Structure formats: C-alpha cells, structure tokens
Amino acid sequence: MVQLISRAADELTTCLSTRSLNLYNMVQNDSHFTKKRSLYLMAKTGISPTRQEDYPAWYQQVVRAADLAENSPVRGCMVIKPWGYGIWENMQKVLDKMFKDTGHENAYFPLFIPKSFLEKEAEHVEGFAKECAVVTHHRLEPGPDGGLVPAGELEEPLIVRPTSETIIGHMFAKWIGSYRDLPLKINQWCNVVRWEMRVRLFLRTAEFLWQEGHTAHETKEEALEETRTMLDVYAQFAEEYMAMPVVRGEKTESERFPGADMTLSIEAMMQDRKALQSGTSHFLGQNFSKAQEIKFQNKDGGESFAWTTSWGLSTRMVGALIMTHSDDDGLVLPPRLAPKHVVICPVIRKDEERVTVMEYCESLKAEIAEVIYDGKPVEVFIDDSDKRGGEKKWYHIKRGVPIRVEAGPRDIQSNSVFVGRRDQPKSTGIDRSEFVATLVETLDDMQKSLYERALKLRTDNTHSFESFEDFSAFFTPKNAKNPELHGGFAECYFVDCPETDEMLKPLKVTPRCIPFSETEHPEGTCIFTGKPTRVRGVFSKSY
RNA sequence: CGGGGUGUAGCGCAGUCUGGCUAGCGCACCUGGUUUGGGACCAGGGGGUCGAAGGUUCGAAUCCUUUCACCCCGACCA
C-alpha cells in the first residue's frame, strides 16, 4: 500500500510539474498578469497530491510534511514526533482539566491483564479476543543459533490491554464496599494495543495513546447521566478546541462497544466526507459489575451491583484534526491546540543587518510572549535557521503554525511586520503595535473561522433521504477512478435490525449514530425494510 | 488463511527477461562559490556489495534452489 501510494505520488508529482509548467507558459504569454512569477508559484501546492486528486495519499503526505509522526520498525506501531506529540499534549491538558472539573481523578493500572480476567465478560471477550497481543514468556536465554529464545513460560498468559475494563473492574470490586464509596470516578492516561492488520498513522495503529475513564455508580440513572455528561465533555472539546463540529448520538446495536448496554459517540465529517468516530462513552449497565462482583451494601442493608460506565478518546483525534482543517499546502492547526502560535522569521540579506534585525525580532518575541491567549502566554519562537526565505516560509506553512511573521530592514524602518495567517492565502504588512494588540483577536477569529468552515462542509454534505434508491445513489461513486470524494452524511428513518445491516454492506456504509433529538420524530418509514419507525439515523462511510 | 507483488544508498527508483567496463539516476546530505523580501544556481564530494543462505559459472544484482521480510486484493476487524 505504501509502495503503491508513493508510486502514485511520484506519478502525480511528475504530472503536476508538467501542469505547472504549462500554467507558467500560459501566464508568460498573458499580458494581464504583471506578477507572472508569483502567480505561477501560487499554482503550486505545498502537498502533492492534493485532496481532490488522492485523499489518502494527501493525508500521508501532510503527516510527513508536518513532521508529526512516522512508521516505526515495529509493525503497526508509529513514532510520534515532537510536533505531533505537542498537539497531543495540548489535547491532554485541556481534557484533563475538563475531567477533573467534572469530578474525576487520575490513576494508573497495569499494562498486562491476566487472560482469565478478559474471559469473564462474554461479549467483551468476543469483541476483543482476535485483536489481543499475548505475552506467554518472561525470560530470554541464548539460543542454539546465537540468538535469544524465550525461556520461562508463564503459568497464565498475560494480555496486553486492549482496554482496561476488566483490570480496573477487578480493583473497583476491592475498593467498593458500601454505597458511601460511590460514585467512584477514575481516569487513566495510557497506551493500549489492538492488533490491527491495516495501519494508518494516528487513525489506526496497533498501539495508541488514549485516556480511559471508568466509573461506578449506585443507581442506573446516575450512571446514565455520567455517560451523557462525558459525551458532552468530548463534544465540547471537539467543537471548542478542535474547531470540529460533531454529531452526538447513540450507536446501533452492531456498532456498540462489546459488553455495553449503550454506546454514545461523537461523529465528525472529514474533508473526504467520510465519518470519523471521535470519542465514545459507554453505559455498561451491570454487565461488568456482575461479571467481576463489583457490589456494595446499599442503604437498606442489602447487596447491590454497581452500575458502571467507561469512556475513551485517543490519539486518533490528532488524525481527526489533520483531516478536518488541513489543506493542499499542509497542516492547519486551530490556535487553541497549536503547540506554537507565532513564528518569527528574521529577514537578513547582508551580514551587517543581522544585529539590528535580530534585536527587532527578539524584542518582538518578548512583547508577544506577554500576550495572554486562552489563559496562557502566546507561544512564540524565532526561526533563525539559515534556510532561504521561501523555503523557511513553506516549512512553517506545512507544519501549520497559525501565524507567520517576517521582519526585515524594510519593516524595521516602518516599524511594522509582515504577517501571514495560515487559514488565509495572503500575507500583509501591518503596524507592529497593532499586530501585537490584535493578536488575541486574530487567533480567536482563526479558531472561529476554522470551525465555521468545517461546519459548512458538513452542512453542505448532509442530506435527508426518503428512499433507499436515492440513498444508494448518494453513496455510489460518481467517478470510479476517484472514489474517495463523494457521499457524505445521510439522514433517514430506519429500524436497527440485521436486514438493515445487510442492505448497507454492499454500499460499505455504516450507521454512524442515532443523533440525540430534542423532540420525538413523527412516525416514518424505514427506507431499508419499509417498517414503520420513529428512529432517524445518520449513515456514512467511515474510517 | 487464499490470490498477486516487491526487496538495489536516508527516501523514491532504473538495471534482472538476454550474466561481462569501477552498480547507476532523482531527491536528501556535506564542502566551496554566487545568491537571498515566495520553494535558488553552479562546481565538487560522502554514502550501497544489490533481503539472507546455498548452488551453477572464468565471471552473478541478473540464472537455479531454499528461506526471510514487507506490501496489495480478498477474508477478518473498526
């Protein structure tokens, strides 16, 4: 796949440069354009192929160009590089605060889970067994061929956690004795392993980083409320920080978390109009508490099983961020999650200018660093690497730094700066003090406009359907050669049953969720089975 | 697990069919120079024993055998 993509990318590069050349010649011959060369350069994109040309290849290229992550020697596992990890760290900071504000505490549980623990909840086993990594030995000894061979076989194999319900449940059982111990609301930040065959950086890897919240409650109502609250936290995080609009809703039976009574999720539309499940919150009922004996003495002196929930959000969100905002020039970051907000590029042409220009930049940096954005000082840095002007600029464009500032002798003379916003194509000269004074406003505006742009994409590509025929046409690629960009979100009446799932299969479409609705829908007809129903769902292709 | 494909420099590839100069090319990297407000140019340079093992041969990246790894499609999973 990688080989194919890179081959395709190479071919595209060749054909792109031919196209650019033609464009250049065209422009050369057109007297209307005075700035021929700059127009020619504008036709070039930072990333090739473009989203339109080949979306999956574009995604890979953005990750690579922005230096976010790369494949590792370990099959299916990625290396997250500093710029990518910086985004994740910011996500963690925001979410961690939100969790604590809603009454949760962090703790840490083991990476390994005894096999017997996983076997306790039947549906849970079925859901995860095939993708578990198993540790069977604990010691290495020199082998006959000079290599090392595992020696000590474990009495009971250990599973590398695919999720921690079982081990955390086991501990909960010990910690909970009375209704006074409830609710118990715990979160952990950790890595998990799910042995996937297909891998895409951030979106699907064998090992990934996430947080998993686990709570136990006295009553069903309380646990249900927790499930909804945490979904709201995720939705708020997605919309306010990631600038990514999401649909909140309930999963259908077939998409439900193994072992859960109800799974809620937030679903976002990527720029290829496929859905990405971006965070899930599960109501586990008493399934896990019965399997693991999480019981307590209730107010009446009797014994009750606790009601539990779990909820998680992973580094997949970094992938969501990339696919929601980035363009054909590379990564675009919403300011509230950007590891750096402003890069200052000194423009030095002659050596004797160096001192003056650097002083100007240093003082500008100090001034910017005093500005408070979103409760913290603005993150600003100077790029004084000896790259050439254009190359340096493109470097930061591709990495998605929200604001680029160029400062050279000409700007110093007019006490101004030359500023480019990552979400807008043009750079402009602006008075230095005005730039600093309006910086927060600019970042806020950027955050807002990214959200609006993403919302517009989703609105424009969400349609309601009355018949399976129209529904089916919506999801049939118009262009077989480029099947990636088509379709979107489809809303319709449906009945959650095996017949529906069967009809969706050939279209490669899945029910994303049953969106929450303030009011009950009037009775309608399931477009798949023809049965009467009041349930409306959102359907789409998904990651 | 079934079908197909690929292993040659950090990355991407040519060379293999038809064995033969010192194993090439692009990008990246290093040095020097000229440049520098939108992705520079010129010159020079470093780096590979051709996935691994065995065989055929005067001679193997190239032919034969075995083996390993990876990739794609399907299945499976989300």
Side-chain angles (χ1 to χ4, degrees):
Chain A
M1 163 120 169
V2 170
Q3 276 182 347
L4 262 178
I5 283 178
S6 50
R7 200 172 301 163
D10 281 355
E11 277 167 23
L12 275 161
T13 314
T14 323
C15 95
L16 268 176
S17 50
T18 324
R19 192 190 67 178
S20 305
L21 258 176
N22 290 340
L23 226 151
Y24 183 49
N25 292 336
M26 231 171 65
V27 169
Q28 287 283 17
N29 295 332
D30 192 329
S31 55
H32 287 296
F33 297 106
T34 45
K35 291 180 180 172
K36 294 167 189 168
R37 182 162 165 75
S38 69
L39 192 85
Y40 156 63
L41 286 169
M42 270 171 61
K44 281 177 77 176
T45 54
I47 301 295
S48 75
T50 62
R51 286 163 292 182
Q52 192 68 41
E53 287 159 349
D54 185 341
Y55 195 84
W58 165 84
Y59 175 79
Q60 305 257 30
Q61 292 302 323
V62 172
V63 172
R64 190 155 86 169
D67 212 20
L68 298 173
E70 64 186 58
N71 282 313
S72 75
V74 186
R75 180 196 169 87
C77 298
M78 66 174 166
V79 173
I80 306 178
K81 300 184 75 175
W83 190 244
Y85 199 77
I87 297 170
W88 176 240
E89 280 181 314
N90 282 345
M91 291 180 168
Q92 285 184 300
K93 276 179 210 156
V94 173
L95 284 166
D96 200 64
K97 172 133 196 334
M98 291 172 106
F99 298 155
K100 284 171 181 160
D101 287 348
T102 43
H104 302 86
E105 290 179 302
N106 285 335
Y108 186 79
F109 299 85
L111 167 69
F112 301 119
I113 298 175
K115 186 164 74 82
S116 57
F117 278 37
L118 212 66
E119 289 163 350
K120 282 181 187 162
E121 215 291 336
E123 281 186 34
H124 195 65
V125 190
E126 205 183 317
F128 283 107
K130 284 178 210 155
E131 45 191 73
C132 283
V134 189
V135 180
T136 52
H137 290 73
H138 71 105
R139 188 154 41 87
L140 290 173
E141 280 176 357
D145 303 325
L148 292 166
V149 293
E153 187 168 353
L154 299 175
E155 248 174 62
E156 180 181 359
L158 294 171
I159 312 296
V160 181
R161 63 182 163 215
T163 177
S164 305
E165 272 73 9
T166 53
I167 184 97
I168 292 180
H170 178 87
M171 298 315 292
F172 274 19
K174 292 174 71 172
W175 296 346
I176 296 166
S178 136
Y179 70 91
R180 291 198 176 87
D181 297 324
L182 297 172
L184 182 56
K185 295 162 79 171
I186 296 289
N187 175 63
Q188 84 165 337
W189 291 96
C190 66
N191 59 343
V192 288
V193 168
R194 296 180 187 177
W195 212 256
E196 301 279 358
M197 297 314 281
R198 297 273 163 83
V199 169
R200 282 183 86 181
L201 293 174
F202 291 113
L203 298 176
R204 171 163 292 149
T205 47
E207 179 193 17
F208 56 88
L209 306 182
W210 79 344
Q211 59 68 217
E212 49 180 324
H214 296 269
T215 67
H217 306 264
E218 192 179 346
T219 64
K220 180 178 179 180
E221 291 66 36
E222 213 181 288
L224 278 168
E225 197 189 325
E226 167 80 7
T227 310
R228 289 189 209 103
T229 300
M230 295 325 285
L231 190 80
D232 283 342
V233 165
Y234 287 157
Q236 191 190 348
F237 169 73
E239 299 191 330
E240 292 180 12
Y241 287 86
M242 294 185 61
M244 180 177 80
V246 290
V247 177
R248 302 159 214 220
E250 183 178 344
K251 284 288 189 189
T252 60
E253 202 178 330
S254 58
E255 299 275 320
R256 201 177 285 158
F257 177 77
D261 277 358
M262 177 181 86
T263 288
L264 307 180
S265 80
I266 53 172
E267 303 281 332
M269 184 188 285
M270 303 293 103
Q271 290 182 74
D272 60 353
R273 304 180 212 161
K274 280 163 89 170
L276 186 73
Q277 176 178 303
S278 307
T280 46
S281 184
H282 315 289
F283 170 66
L284 304 175
Q286 291 177 314
N287 302 332
F288 283 86
S289 58
K290 282 180 178 162
Q292 303 188 274
E293 310 239 295
I294 308 174
K295 50 191 179 182
F296 61 95
Q297 205 161 27
N298 59 37
K299 285 170 188 161
D300 308 323
E303 199 171 60
S304 302
F305 286 107
W307 298 83
T308 63
T309 80
S310 70
W311 27 276
L313 182 148
S314 74
T315 38
R316 184 177 234 207
M317 283 305 243
V318 179
L321 198 70
I322 298 165
M323 286 201 291
T324 301
H325 301 302
S326 299
D327 60 22
D328 294 336
D329 286 333
L331 188 65
V332 176
L333 291 169
R336 291 184 95 175
L337 290 178
K340 299 283 179 190
H341 300 112
V342 182
V343 57
I344 301 173
C345 302
V347 179
I348 300 162
R349 287 175 306 175
K350 300 171 204 145
D351 248 0
E352 54 266 35
E353 292 169 354
R354 178 170 299 275
V355 176
T356 338
V357 172
M358 286 310 291
E359 271 175 8
Y360 190 78
C361 290
E362 289 290 354
S363 73
L364 180 64
K365 179 186 163 186
E367 210 179 324
I368 293 172
E370 306 234 319
V371 177
I372 300 296
Y373 169 67
D374 197 25
K376 298 180 296 279
V378 169
E379 294 289 340
V380 53
F381 69 109
I382 295 175
D383 181 357
D384 61 351
S385 63
D386 64 354
K387 287 195 196 78
R388 299 167 54 80
E391 196 188 347
K392 194 183 279 190
K393 185 190 134 179
W394 278 101
Y395 175 78
H396 295 295
I397 288 177
K398 285 189 273 200
R399 285 164 62 97
V401 179
I403 294 183
R404 301 179 309 277
V405 175
E406 287 170 45
R410 289 215 290 269
D411 308 290
I412 296 176
Q413 254 183 0
S414 58
N415 201 37
S416 64
V417 285
F418 197 67
V419 178
R421 255 175 76 158
R422 184 60 184 86
D423 62 333
Q424 294 173 354
K426 279 186 182 170
S427 304
T428 47
I430 174 174
D431 182 72
R432 173 175 164 164
S433 52
E434 192 191 336
F435 165 71
V436 177
T438 57
L439 184 55
V440 169
E441 204 179 304
T442 309
L443 291 169
D444 278 338
D445 186 62
M446 212 173 147
Q447 181 82 26
K448 197 173 134 212
S449 77
L450 287 178
Y451 178 81
E452 279 163 5
R453 193 161 76 181
L455 183 61
K456 184 172 187 308
L457 178 93
R458 192 185 74 185
T459 310
D460 290 350
N461 293 291
T462 301
H463 300 287
S464 182
F465 290 92
E466 305 291 327
S467 77
F468 181 69
E469 199 187 349
D470 293 346
F471 179 95
S472 180
F474 182 62
F475 286 113
T476 305
K478 275 100 198 148
N479 177 3
K481 276 187 183 171
N482 188 5
E484 291 296 332
L485 297 175
H486 70 277
F489 283 7
E491 288 175 345
C492 62
Y493 279 108
F494 85 113
V495 174
D496 183 12
C497 60
E499 291 101 291
T500 299
D501 288 340
E502 277 308 304
M503 287 180 80
L504 288 169
K505 244 185 189 167
L507 292 172
K508 297 192 171 176
V509 170
T510 48
R512 297 324 305 155
C513 68
I514 300 158
F516 299 149
S517 170
E518 301 274 311
T519 54
E520 204 182 8
H521 296 296
E523 192 167 279
T525 310
C526 169
I527 69 162
F528 305 102
T529 62
K531 293 177 196 161
T533 176
R534 287 182 180 277
V535 179
R536 286 180 68 81
V538 168
F539 297 78
S540 83
K541 298 192 179 178
S542 75
Y543 280 95

